[in-house]
Amino acid sequence: MLTRKELSMSHAPSSHHTVTPIVLTIAGSDSSGGAGIQADIKAISATGSYACSVITAITAQNTQGVSSILPIPLDMVEQQLDAVFTDLNIQAVKIGMLADSDIIHLVAAKIRQYQPQYLVIDPVMVATSGDILLQQHAITTLKTELLPLADIITPNLPEAAALTGHDIPQSIDGMQAMISALRAINPHAVLLKGGHLENDSNSTDLLILASDVIELTTPRINTRNTHGTGCTLSSAIASYLAQGNTLEHATTLAKRYITAAITAADELTIGQGHGPVNHFFAGHHHVR
């Protein structure tokens, strides 16, 4: 018989690969469960990592839009960050909604303090419903303080336009015209998401690296249930990075995951507007 101590030692991590991949999401709460922290936790869990969270704001929202946003007091955001970073071995951080300049400054300072291995930023400024979530001076703070720290940022086309001052692209050529302006923000990489090009039969994202651009193309899926797609994709990238994948492979795996989650979205009947994607599509068919 093994003693309790020997038993506990037998479960001790023997190499880096047996360490639980832990992903922190720093974002707002979505009361309807389809986007924000809730989508992040679902996506991180469904892709095989452990999710922890720091909540930056509470929103009153549903599939039809955001009706109210209550920022969490700064000292409480700071205490949440210190609590998770001083105890958990966080491999990757995903950042979503940050409501104002003060919270962006704070989060940037904490990322510099704790130096997580990977940082994925979804620069959330515009909800799927079209609601503007971030003011202009906060966008400037985001660009100067936080985005240059990122391994990858994942703007959609309206967000990329807000970051660069360009018009919202209407074509792949328009997306390619933004590449140098996005590189100038100086993150390690940019995933420019083409999901808003609704006349295109494919959904093409551009993975913009320092000296290369990789096109990731999947067939466009005809569904209105796309609430939380950006949150879900960026969280999946963070999850796959935490598991030791390269940036390019993590992004490819995450694109595959979100495509499957969107494809299965119509299996759910949630709300009267833009419903959520189906985060747990893989598990739904095994359990009866």
Side-chain angles (χ1 to χ4, degrees), residues 167-277:
D167 291 334
I168 297 175
Q170 303 300 317
S171 65
I172 297 287
D173 286 347
M175 289 171 64
Q176 288 169 333
M178 296 181 119
I179 289 172
S180 59
L182 287 166
R183 278 187 175 136
I185 297 167
N186 209 29
H188 183 71
V190 180
L191 183 67
L192 179 59
K193 300 177 298 188
H196 281 70
L197 296 181
E198 287 173 4
N199 298 329
D200 201 327
S201 60
N202 289 320
S203 174
T204 298
D205 300 342
L206 300 182
L207 178 58
I208 303 165
L209 304 167
S211 55
D212 197 11
V213 178
I214 299 161
E215 285 195 13
L216 303 174
T217 299
T218 50
R220 182 171 293 282
I221 299 144
N222 184 23
T223 176
R224 66 191 300 223
N225 295 328
T226 54
H227 186 60
T229 46
C231 309
T232 298
L233 175 65
S234 52
S235 295
I237 294 172
S239 179
Y240 289 125
L241 284 171
Q243 293 166 26
N245 293 288
T246 63
L247 187 61
E248 187 180 334
H249 192 48
T251 306
T252 304
L253 289 172
K255 173 89 168 165
R256 199 176 299 162
Y257 169 74
I258 187 64
T259 301
I262 296 170
T263 302
D266 289 356
E267 294 173 16
L268 303 176
T269 311
I270 312 288
Q272 298 163 57
H274 291 282
V277 303

Side-chain angles (χ1 to χ4, degrees), residues 39-51:
D40 297 343
I41 291 172
K42 291 173 190 180
I44 293 162
S45 304
T47 53
S49 298
Y50 178 84

Side-chain angles (χ1 to χ4, degrees), residues 23-40:
V23 181
L24 166 63
T25 164
I26 305 171
S29 164
D30 168 14
S31 48
S32 68
I37 285 279
Q38 288 82 349
D40 297 343

Side-chain angles (χ1 to χ4, degrees), residues 94-146:
K94 174 262 163 94
I95 296 175
M97 189 179 116
L98 302 176
D100 56 39
S101 292
D102 290 343
I103 202 159
I104 294 167
H105 278 298
L106 171 69
V107 170
K110 288 293 170 185
I111 293 295
R112 287 193 206 97
Q113 179 182 346
Y114 290 112
Q115 301 279 317
Q117 191 171 358
Y118 300 107
L119 178 60
V120 178
I121 302 178
D122 185 23
V124 181
M125 304 168 196
V126 189
T128 298
S129 56
D131 294 302
I132 299 289
L133 301 175
L134 203 58
Q135 302 310 310
Q136 187 58 51
H137 63 93
I139 294 174
T140 305
T141 309
L142 190 69
K143 280 171 65 173
T144 55
E145 291 274 315
L146 199 53

Side-chain angles (χ1 to χ4, degrees), residues 18 24 38 50 65-66 80 86 102 149 152 156 162 184 251-252 261 280:
T18 58
L24 166 63
Q38 288 82 349
Y50 178 84
V66 180
Q80 290 179 79
T86 54
D102 290 343
L149 303 177
I152 185 167
N156 61 27
T251 306
T252 304
F280 296 107

